[in-house]
Amino acid sequence: MALAHPERVRGIIIQNAVSHEQGLSPLWEARRRYWADPAHELEALKANFTSLAATRQRHLGSSPHLERYDPDTWTDEYAFLTRPGQAEIQTTLFLDYRTNVASYPKWQEWLRKTRPPTLVVWGKYDSSFAVAGASAYRDDVPDAEVHILEAGHFALDEATDEIAALVRGFLARLDGHKG
């Protein structure tokens, strides 16, 4: 949407979302194998992605602050993922994600060209998206505000107040930005 209507973008807030290859952790190797050979890798991806252990891991990552998490977040997600048809839906979405990765260079070019005010908040314990993905935004937008937090992929579960304060401050500064 930003590429189609850059005039509508006043700023960008990114929370553990990649647009650079270096942001994809080693966990993405299994997903890349699936992209390369969906027929042979489908069952392995389904079994892994929809398992309770993998669902829990997506939420906790390597966080040392497990007490900050409500176990309902992953048990509810697991209940959803084990509903009939969900494994197929999720693996189809994962197959389509390769189009995002293919679009990274175009997104990076847009960021370099437009240099929108950018706030990046990133949980350093994210097992899926590496911290290098957060820092990479500065390659495209040198003035990007990048904050590495004591949190995982779902950083809002662990750093709600901190992220809210960063977003409020960023939005307040946007009021003075002519974009």
Side-chain angles (χ1 to χ4, degrees):
M1 292 186 305
L3 274 66
H5 296 284
E7 72 282 1
R8 296 181 185 175
V9 178
R10 291 190 52 221
I12 296 177
I13 300 172
I14 299 160
Q15 191 257 292
N16 289 67
V18 295
S19 64
H20 300 83
E21 287 271 349
Q22 60 266 46
L24 298 175
S25 78
L27 289 179
W28 284 85
E29 290 311 312
R31 295 161 187 169
R32 289 180 192 277
R33 285 192 302 275
Y34 172 60
W35 297 342
D37 191 1
H40 289 99
E41 297 293 328
L42 177 63
E43 292 308 316
L45 184 68
K46 270 189 205 179
N48 174 268
F49 185 77
T50 61
S51 74
L52 180 58
T55 305
R56 182 177 185 269
Q57 179 64 24
R58 266 191 300 283
H59 288 269
L60 300 178
S62 61
S63 177
H65 308 291
L66 302 183
E67 74 283 356
R68 295 180 182 172
Y69 281 91
D70 179 351
D72 287 346
T73 59
W74 63 83
T75 56
D76 288 353
E77 180 182 333
Y78 175 71
F80 172 77
L81 289 173
T82 55
R83 293 175 60 198
Q86 276 303 309
E88 290 74 21
I89 292 168
Q90 297 303 318
T91 53
T92 299
L93 288 171
F94 264 117
L95 188 59
D96 186 63
Y97 195 88
R98 63 187 170 177
T99 63
N100 282 17
V101 177
S103 295
Y104 288 176
K106 182 170 40 174
W107 298 348
Q108 294 162 17
E109 180 183 342
W110 181 86
L111 287 168
R112 284 190 302 274
K113 180 181 172 189
T114 62
R115 293 192 176 189
T118 303
L119 171 66
V120 179
V121 291
W122 206 278
K124 72 179 178 181
Y125 303 117
D126 187 339
S127 56
S128 189
F129 295 144
V131 170
S135 304
Y137 283 103
R138 283 199 185 116
D139 294 339
D140 304 319
V141 183
D143 293 333
E145 296 178 40
V146 178
H147 301 270
I148 309 302
L149 310 176
E150 289 284 320
H153 180 72
F154 298 100
L156 283 166
D157 288 345
E158 289 188 81
T160 309
D161 293 339
E162 186 176 1
I163 292 172
L166 290 167
V167 169
R168 277 193 302 271
F170 178 75
L171 294 175
R173 287 186 296 283
L174 277 183
D175 286 339
H177 182 269
K178 305 290 185 214

